DNA sequence: CCAAAAGTGTTAATTGTACACCCATGA
DNA sequence: TCATGGGTGTACAATTAACACTTTTGG
């Protein structure tokens, strides 16, 4: 078939912002670039869009390759396109954000890529425009998490309310009143209380909860003002 | 300089969803495709990303070409990438949404493109995945407009409260109580009342307002619950 | 028995919603 | 003078925010 003539074809890359939470801090999984330029500097995990796959598929593929994980929260975020963002040749970069349970991450898988978790607070210098990508992702996540229940994507299937609260407090760098937090969360009905307790972080133990899938699917986008209004960040484009 | 080898380069297109409001209805500006396949079917205005421009620049260029307008509200929305979305050859499509004052649209400019405004309610069949793009844009706009003051981007610099309300009622297909609407809007301080009245739609006349740029810049992302909660749509990815 | 973390209730302030009448004017 | 659309206020409901003490239990 005839093609579009006289147009420039461009490399399209998918870059994944893979976020985890270790109970205290947010972490970002990055890989060490194996080739020049900027060899051995740190980079988001990425790859080129292949002929027969969509961007979503590419993101899933890349995430699987690096972490061994599938069925992970993954969202297309923004496409970066400044003409010189990659000095080798022009590359349009589509950024995806993934929220993973850091415990499920399989250490061995990444050896090929020299992957490493960095504390979000202590990122090294990143290549190209990857810092801008990370900043945008954080802003988006803050915006979204302030209104919708998504942060538990960073926790195991069973988690405690104090864990969930730590997640919010870390992201917004603020203290939240646990009574208000608990009440709002429970009134949404998206959590199911288990019999079982987690005694790993206290003597008394905290009840485990899990997501009520039915309500979450129907109503996962429910507005849920877990963050006091004056802590909510501005919208992001 | 050495290039990335063995990778497939792909056409990147920018497609613009250009929204206007005629006082009663939302409208979408579309062009008639001038070549096969799907020749003479309707399409979003688009174009290929050029070697030396960013996507934002391409969107601005395309918008200018078609409408003659600059300095318009323009936002990158989503990138579409299914491998066969364009039957001619693979094209990754980055969608932008533009909100324009329909009155400023210059009719003569578009003659080359066979452009036409369609009522959002009465769209013709669109090419490729353009209908999906339009649906996503509408959802995004609803979501964003429910929380943030952006719809006046569709109105002239001076506008009346009834006009603004019509905009919200049209987008959400609902009636809004004008007392509550006015109070919320004015309490945000983003509007400045003019002396002047618009007598074009009533005998009494409605006061003109304009955006208070200072407050809007600082606080343009302010939460502003102009839409009753039960009318707010779900979040969009 | 005590330190450390989990769990729980009440009140006041703010915000949201429902509702109806008067006003100004051009025709 | 009247039909049309514009402007305004109040009361009740719902949500949010601020606040501190008791419970459990492993060491």
């Amino acid at each position: 078939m005839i093609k579009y003539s006289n147009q420039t074809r461009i490399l399209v890359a998918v870059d994944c912002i893979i976020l985890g939470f270790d109970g205290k801090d947010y972490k970002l999984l990055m890989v060490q670039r194996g080739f020049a330029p900027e060899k051995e500097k740190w980079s988001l995990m990425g790859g080129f869009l292949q002929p027969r796959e969509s961007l979503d598929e590419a993101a899933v593929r890349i995430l699987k390759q690096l972490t061994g994980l599938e069925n992970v929260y993954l969202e297309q975020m923004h496409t970066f396109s400044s003409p010189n963002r990659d000095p080798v040749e022009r590359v349009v970069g589509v950024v995806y954000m993934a929220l993973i349970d850091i415990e499920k991450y399989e250490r061995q898988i990444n050896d090929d890529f020299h992957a490493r978790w960095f504390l979000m607070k202590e990122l090294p210098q990143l290549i190209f425009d990857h810092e801008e990508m990370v900043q945008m992702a954080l802003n988006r996540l803050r915006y979204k998490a302030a209104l919708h229940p998504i942060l538990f994507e960073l926790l195991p299937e069973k988690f405690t309310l104090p864990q969930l609260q730590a997640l919010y407090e870390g992201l917004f760098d603020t203290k939240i009143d646990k009574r208000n937090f608990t009440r709002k969360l429970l009134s949404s009905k998206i959590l199911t209380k288990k019999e079982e307790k987690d005694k790993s972080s206290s003597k008394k133990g905290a009840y485990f909860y899990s997501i009520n899938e039915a309500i979450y699917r129907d109503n996962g986008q429910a507005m849920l003002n877990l963050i006091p209004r004056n802590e909510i960040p501005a919208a992001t484009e």
Side-chain angles (χ1 to χ4, degrees), chain A residues 158-160 192-194 196-198 206-210:
Chain A
K158 292 189 284 185
F159 50 84
T160 67
T192 307
K193 192 174 186 171
K194 304 261 179 227
E196 202 185 349
K197 279 186 162 187
D198 168 32
Y207 283 104
F208 278 118
Y209 287 79
S210 64

Side-chain angles (χ1 to χ4, degrees), chain A residues 12-16 44-50 53 58 61-62 65:
Chain A
V12 177
V14 171
D15 292 306
C16 292
L44 295 172
M45 178 71 181
F48 291 110
L49 180 62
Q50 298 300 308
E53 69 186 356
R61 168 175 60 78
I62 288 166
Q65 252 176 28

Side-chain angles (χ1 to χ4, degrees), chain A residues 83 86 136 171 199:
Chain A
D86 186 323
M136 189 184 286
L171 184 59
K199 297 218 165 189

